[in-house]
mmCIF file of all heavy atoms in Angstrom:
data_model
loop_
_atom_site.group_PDB
_atom_site.id
_atom_site.type_symbol
_atom_site.label_atom_id
_atom_site.label_comp_id
_atom_site.label_asym_id
_atom_site.label_seq_id
_atom_site.Cartn_x
_atom_site.Cartn_y
_atom_site.Cartn_z
ATOM 1 N N ILE A 1 201.374 61.079 79.707
ATOM 2 C CA ILE A 1 200.027 61.620 79.944
ATOM 3 C C ILE A 1 198.963 60.643 79.402
ATOM 4 O O ILE A 1 198.198 60.115 80.142
ATOM 5 C CB ILE A 1 199.823 63.060 79.406
ATOM 6 C CG1 ILE A 1 200.800 64.080 79.971
ATOM 7 C CG2 ILE A 1 198.409 63.494 79.576
ATOM 8 C CD1 ILE A 1 200.568 64.372 81.425
ATOM 9 N N ARG A 2 198.990 60.443 78.145
ATOM 10 C CA ARG A 2 198.029 59.603 77.489
ATOM 11 C C ARG A 2 198.507 58.176 77.415
ATOM 12 O O ARG A 2 199.730 57.939 77.523
ATOM 13 C CB ARG A 2 197.747 60.061 76.044
ATOM 14 C CG ARG A 2 198.957 60.059 75.157
ATOM 15 C CD ARG A 2 198.735 60.604 73.828
ATOM 16 N NE ARG A 2 199.965 61.003 73.217
ATOM 17 C CZ ARG A 2 200.192 62.143 72.558
ATOM 18 N NH1 ARG A 2 199.203 62.982 72.405
ATOM 19 N NH2 ARG A 2 201.378 62.446 72.136
ATOM 20 N N SER A 3 197.557 57.289 77.226
ATOM 21 C CA SER A 3 198.009 55.879 77.077
ATOM 22 C C SER A 3 198.605 55.731 75.721
ATOM 23 O O SER A 3 198.099 56.168 74.709
ATOM 24 C CB SER A 3 196.762 54.988 77.189
ATOM 25 O OG SER A 3 197.162 53.656 76.850
ATOM 26 N N ALA A 4 199.773 55.038 75.670
ATOM 27 C CA ALA A 4 200.434 54.748 74.353
ATOM 28 C C ALA A 4 200.026 53.407 73.869
ATOM 29 O O ALA A 4 200.594 52.917 72.907
ATOM 30 C CB ALA A 4 202.020 54.831 74.557
ATOM 31 N N ASN A 5 198.967 52.804 74.442
ATOM 32 C CA ASN A 5 198.479 51.540 74.024
ATOM 33 C C ASN A 5 197.644 51.809 72.788
ATOM 34 O O ASN A 5 196.581 52.430 72.779
ATOM 35 C CB ASN A 5 197.693 50.922 75.029
ATOM 36 C CG ASN A 5 197.154 49.509 74.688
ATOM 37 O OD1 ASN A 5 196.605 49.263 73.655
ATOM 38 N ND2 ASN A 5 197.299 48.595 75.607
ATOM 39 N N HIS A 6 198.146 51.279 71.573
ATOM 40 C CA HIS A 6 197.506 51.474 70.356
ATOM 41 C C HIS A 6 196.017 51.020 70.336
ATOM 42 O O HIS A 6 195.136 51.643 69.775
ATOM 43 C CB HIS A 6 198.347 50.684 69.318
ATOM 44 C CG HIS A 6 197.737 50.743 67.884
ATOM 45 N ND1 HIS A 6 197.967 51.733 67.036
ATOM 46 C CD2 HIS A 6 197.000 49.768 67.231
ATOM 47 C CE1 HIS A 6 197.383 51.503 65.884
ATOM 48 N NE2 HIS A 6 196.775 50.349 66.029
ATOM 49 N N TRP A 7 195.797 49.928 71.018
ATOM 50 C CA TRP A 7 194.433 49.330 71.045
ATOM 51 C C TRP A 7 193.449 50.149 71.890
ATOM 52 O O TRP A 7 192.275 50.249 71.487
ATOM 53 C CB TRP A 7 194.466 47.843 71.490
ATOM 54 C CG TRP A 7 195.379 47.112 70.572
ATOM 55 C CD1 TRP A 7 196.569 46.498 70.806
ATOM 56 C CD2 TRP A 7 195.128 46.805 69.174
ATOM 57 N NE1 TRP A 7 197.146 45.976 69.690
ATOM 58 C CE2 TRP A 7 196.221 46.053 68.631
ATOM 59 C CE3 TRP A 7 194.040 47.064 68.331
ATOM 60 C CZ2 TRP A 7 196.300 45.665 67.291
ATOM 61 C CZ3 TRP A 7 194.108 46.637 66.991
ATOM 62 C CH2 TRP A 7 195.189 45.961 66.507
ATOM 63 N N ILE A 8 193.924 50.725 72.983
ATOM 64 C CA ILE A 8 193.035 51.557 73.718
ATOM 65 C C ILE A 8 192.631 52.806 72.893
ATOM 66 O O ILE A 8 191.539 53.222 72.903
ATOM 67 C CB ILE A 8 193.776 52.026 75.028
ATOM 68 C CG1 ILE A 8 193.837 50.795 76.009
ATOM 69 C CG2 ILE A 8 192.974 53.193 75.728
ATOM 70 C CD1 ILE A 8 194.649 51.087 77.231
ATOM 71 N N GLN A 9 193.625 53.344 72.202
ATOM 72 C CA GLN A 9 193.327 54.547 71.398
ATOM 73 C C GLN A 9 192.428 54.230 70.198
ATOM 74 O O GLN A 9 191.488 54.975 69.864
ATOM 75 C CB GLN A 9 194.591 55.189 70.897
ATOM 76 C CG GLN A 9 195.526 55.734 72.031
ATOM 77 C CD GLN A 9 194.768 56.625 72.988
ATOM 78 O OE1 GLN A 9 193.830 57.304 72.617
ATOM 79 N NE2 GLN A 9 195.322 56.713 74.173
ATOM 80 N N LEU A 10 192.634 53.059 69.569
ATOM 81 C CA LEU A 10 191.748 52.619 68.545
ATOM 82 C C LEU A 10 190.269 52.445 69.068
ATOM 83 O O LEU A 10 189.243 52.766 68.404
ATOM 84 C CB LEU A 10 192.170 51.323 67.873
ATOM 85 C CG LEU A 10 191.311 50.723 66.805
ATOM 86 C CD1 LEU A 10 191.064 51.770 65.650
ATOM 87 C CD2 LEU A 10 191.907 49.419 66.277
ATOM 88 N N HIS A 11 190.163 51.812 70.258
ATOM 89 C CA HIS A 11 188.867 51.603 70.896
ATOM 90 C C HIS A 11 188.168 52.955 71.037
ATOM 91 O O HIS A 11 186.958 53.087 70.678
ATOM 92 C CB HIS A 11 188.998 50.857 72.194
ATOM 93 C CG HIS A 11 187.732 50.543 72.860
ATOM 94 N ND1 HIS A 11 187.694 49.959 74.123
ATOM 95 C CD2 HIS A 11 186.474 50.609 72.454
ATOM 96 C CE1 HIS A 11 186.409 49.715 74.471
ATOM 97 N NE2 HIS A 11 185.605 50.088 73.471
ATOM 98 N N PHE A 12 188.903 53.919 71.618
ATOM 99 C CA PHE A 12 188.245 55.277 71.747
ATOM 100 C C PHE A 12 187.825 55.791 70.458
ATOM 101 O O PHE A 12 186.706 56.278 70.349
ATOM 102 C CB PHE A 12 189.253 56.161 72.504
ATOM 103 C CG PHE A 12 188.732 57.586 72.505
ATOM 104 C CD1 PHE A 12 187.758 58.008 73.504
ATOM 105 C CD2 PHE A 12 189.008 58.575 71.555
ATOM 106 C CE1 PHE A 12 187.205 59.298 73.507
ATOM 107 C CE2 PHE A 12 188.472 59.784 71.588
ATOM 108 C CZ PHE A 12 187.666 60.138 72.497
ATOM 109 N N HIS A 13 188.718 55.724 69.428
ATOM 110 C CA HIS A 13 188.392 56.324 68.194
ATOM 111 C C HIS A 13 187.124 55.699 67.508
ATOM 112 O O HIS A 13 186.339 56.380 66.898
ATOM 113 C CB HIS A 13 189.652 56.179 67.284
ATOM 114 C CG HIS A 13 189.606 57.216 66.154
ATOM 115 N ND1 HIS A 13 190.141 58.455 66.363
ATOM 116 C CD2 HIS A 13 189.225 57.134 64.914
ATOM 117 C CE1 HIS A 13 190.063 59.115 65.189
ATOM 118 N NE2 HIS A 13 189.442 58.394 64.286
ATOM 119 N N VAL A 14 187.068 54.400 67.551
ATOM 120 C CA VAL A 14 185.916 53.678 66.978
ATOM 121 C C VAL A 14 184.578 54.102 67.740
ATOM 122 O O VAL A 14 183.611 54.395 67.097
ATOM 123 C CB VAL A 14 186.133 52.180 67.081
ATOM 124 C CG1 VAL A 14 184.805 51.461 66.704
ATOM 125 C CG2 VAL A 14 187.236 51.793 66.112
ATOM 126 N N VAL A 15 184.663 54.225 68.999
ATOM 127 C CA VAL A 15 183.448 54.611 69.794
ATOM 128 C C VAL A 15 183.092 56.117 69.390
ATOM 129 O O VAL A 15 181.957 56.373 69.106
ATOM 130 C CB VAL A 15 183.658 54.596 71.253
ATOM 131 C CG1 VAL A 15 182.556 55.184 72.042
ATOM 132 C CG2 VAL A 15 183.805 53.084 71.700
ATOM 133 N N LEU A 16 184.153 57.021 69.256
ATOM 134 C CA LEU A 16 183.896 58.400 68.883
ATOM 135 C C LEU A 16 183.274 58.412 67.432
ATOM 136 O O LEU A 16 182.219 59.088 67.299
ATOM 137 C CB LEU A 16 185.238 59.108 68.856
ATOM 138 C CG LEU A 16 185.227 60.555 68.367
ATOM 139 C CD1 LEU A 16 184.408 61.432 69.293
ATOM 140 C CD2 LEU A 16 186.633 61.007 68.224
ATOM 141 N N GLU A 17 183.861 57.696 66.529
ATOM 142 C CA GLU A 17 183.296 57.713 65.198
ATOM 143 C C GLU A 17 181.815 57.118 65.146
ATOM 144 O O GLU A 17 180.996 57.604 64.416
ATOM 145 C CB GLU A 17 184.138 56.926 64.196
ATOM 146 C CG GLU A 17 185.467 57.660 63.881
ATOM 147 C CD GLU A 17 186.348 56.878 62.983
ATOM 148 O OE1 GLU A 17 186.349 55.600 63.033
ATOM 149 O OE2 GLU A 17 187.069 57.502 62.173
ATOM 150 N N GLY A 18 181.587 56.112 65.985
ATOM 151 C CA GLY A 18 180.257 55.614 66.040
ATOM 152 C C GLY A 18 179.214 56.677 66.567
ATOM 153 O O GLY A 18 178.212 56.773 65.982
ATOM 154 N N LEU A 19 179.611 57.391 67.573
ATOM 155 C CA LEU A 19 178.711 58.437 68.139
ATOM 156 C C LEU A 19 178.512 59.540 67.070
ATOM 157 O O LEU A 19 177.363 60.006 66.884
ATOM 158 C CB LEU A 19 179.212 59.003 69.416
ATOM 159 C CG LEU A 19 179.079 58.043 70.610
ATOM 160 C CD1 LEU A 19 179.758 58.789 71.861
ATOM 161 C CD2 LEU A 19 177.640 57.796 70.936
ATOM 162 N N LEU A 20 179.583 59.890 66.403
ATOM 163 C CA LEU A 20 179.496 60.963 65.353
ATOM 164 C C LEU A 20 178.534 60.575 64.300
ATOM 165 O O LEU A 20 177.674 61.382 63.804
ATOM 166 C CB LEU A 20 180.795 61.295 64.770
ATOM 167 C CG LEU A 20 181.829 62.023 65.677
ATOM 168 C CD1 LEU A 20 183.256 62.032 65.071
ATOM 169 C CD2 LEU A 20 181.352 63.434 65.795
ATOM 170 N N ALA A 21 178.573 59.284 63.894
ATOM 171 C CA ALA A 21 177.632 58.766 62.866
ATOM 172 C C ALA A 21 176.225 58.659 63.413
ATOM 173 O O ALA A 21 175.223 59.005 62.701
ATOM 174 C CB ALA A 21 178.175 57.449 62.325
ATOM 175 N N ARG A 22 176.068 58.123 64.582
ATOM 176 C CA ARG A 22 174.772 57.842 65.128
ATOM 177 C C ARG A 22 174.045 59.094 65.471
ATOM 178 O O ARG A 22 172.852 59.143 65.339
ATOM 179 C CB ARG A 22 174.915 57.011 66.424
ATOM 180 C CG ARG A 22 173.646 56.611 66.979
ATOM 181 C CD ARG A 22 173.798 55.419 67.982
ATOM 182 N NE ARG A 22 172.566 54.833 68.201
ATOM 183 C CZ ARG A 22 171.931 53.914 67.504
ATOM 184 N NH1 ARG A 22 172.553 53.496 66.447
ATOM 185 N NH2 ARG A 22 170.837 53.379 67.794
ATOM 186 N N TRP A 23 174.673 60.100 65.901
ATOM 187 C CA TRP A 23 174.064 61.395 66.243
ATOM 188 C C TRP A 23 173.750 62.227 65.081
ATOM 189 O O TRP A 23 173.231 63.295 65.171
ATOM 190 C CB TRP A 23 174.895 62.112 67.267
ATOM 191 C CG TRP A 23 174.792 61.467 68.643
ATOM 192 C CD1 TRP A 23 173.961 60.419 69.007
ATOM 193 C CD2 TRP A 23 175.589 61.718 69.758
ATOM 194 N NE1 TRP A 23 174.240 60.131 70.335
ATOM 195 C CE2 TRP A 23 175.170 60.940 70.825
ATOM 196 C CE3 TRP A 23 176.601 62.670 70.046
ATOM 197 C CZ2 TRP A 23 175.790 60.909 72.087
ATOM 198 C CZ3 TRP A 23 177.170 62.696 71.311
ATOM 199 C CH2 TRP A 23 176.729 61.888 72.333
ATOM 200 N N GLU A 24 174.052 61.790 63.862
ATOM 201 C CA GLU A 24 173.747 62.470 62.616
ATOM 202 C C GLU A 24 173.947 63.963 62.651
ATOM 203 O O GLU A 24 173.059 64.729 62.512
ATOM 204 C CB GLU A 24 172.227 62.163 62.313
ATOM 205 C CG GLU A 24 172.012 60.638 62.128
ATOM 206 C CD GLU A 24 170.552 60.363 61.972
ATOM 207 O OE1 GLU A 24 169.629 61.254 62.016
ATOM 208 O OE2 GLU A 24 170.195 59.158 61.767
ATOM 209 N N LEU A 25 175.271 64.297 62.792
ATOM 210 C CA LEU A 25 175.617 65.651 62.813
ATOM 211 C C LEU A 25 175.765 66.277 61.399
ATOM 212 O O LEU A 25 176.174 67.462 61.305
ATOM 213 C CB LEU A 25 176.886 65.835 63.656
ATOM 214 C CG LEU A 25 176.664 65.295 65.105
ATOM 215 C CD1 LEU A 25 178.034 65.285 65.851
ATOM 216 C CD2 LEU A 25 175.633 66.198 65.784
ATOM 217 N N GLY A 26 175.641 65.455 60.420
ATOM 218 C CA GLY A 26 175.533 65.896 58.997
ATOM 219 C C GLY A 26 176.801 66.607 58.531
ATOM 220 O O GLY A 26 177.906 66.185 58.701
ATOM 221 N N ASP A 27 176.514 67.712 57.855
ATOM 222 C CA ASP A 27 177.596 68.376 57.092
ATOM 223 C C ASP A 27 178.546 69.173 57.992
ATOM 224 O O ASP A 27 179.438 69.744 57.567
ATOM 225 C CB ASP A 27 177.051 69.311 56.014
ATOM 226 C CG ASP A 27 176.233 70.478 56.561
ATOM 227 O OD1 ASP A 27 175.920 70.479 57.786
ATOM 228 O OD2 ASP A 27 175.931 71.442 55.879
ATOM 229 N N ARG A 28 178.320 69.165 59.323
ATOM 230 C CA ARG A 28 179.325 69.761 60.182
ATOM 231 C C ARG A 28 180.645 68.999 60.316
ATOM 232 O O ARG A 28 181.662 69.507 60.687
ATOM 233 C CB ARG A 28 178.681 69.946 61.606
ATOM 234 C CG ARG A 28 177.698 71.091 61.717
ATOM 235 C CD ARG A 28 177.322 71.370 63.129
ATOM 236 N NE ARG A 28 176.458 70.306 63.670
ATOM 237 C CZ ARG A 28 175.096 70.250 63.486
ATOM 238 N NH1 ARG A 28 174.561 71.235 62.845
ATOM 239 N NH2 ARG A 28 174.434 69.360 64.061
#
């Protein structure tokens, strides 16, 4: 189902963490 490519998953994770930080969701 999902891509087992480690680098694709890391890319997604870094983008996700960037949005979480940028959108300043604070203590949630």
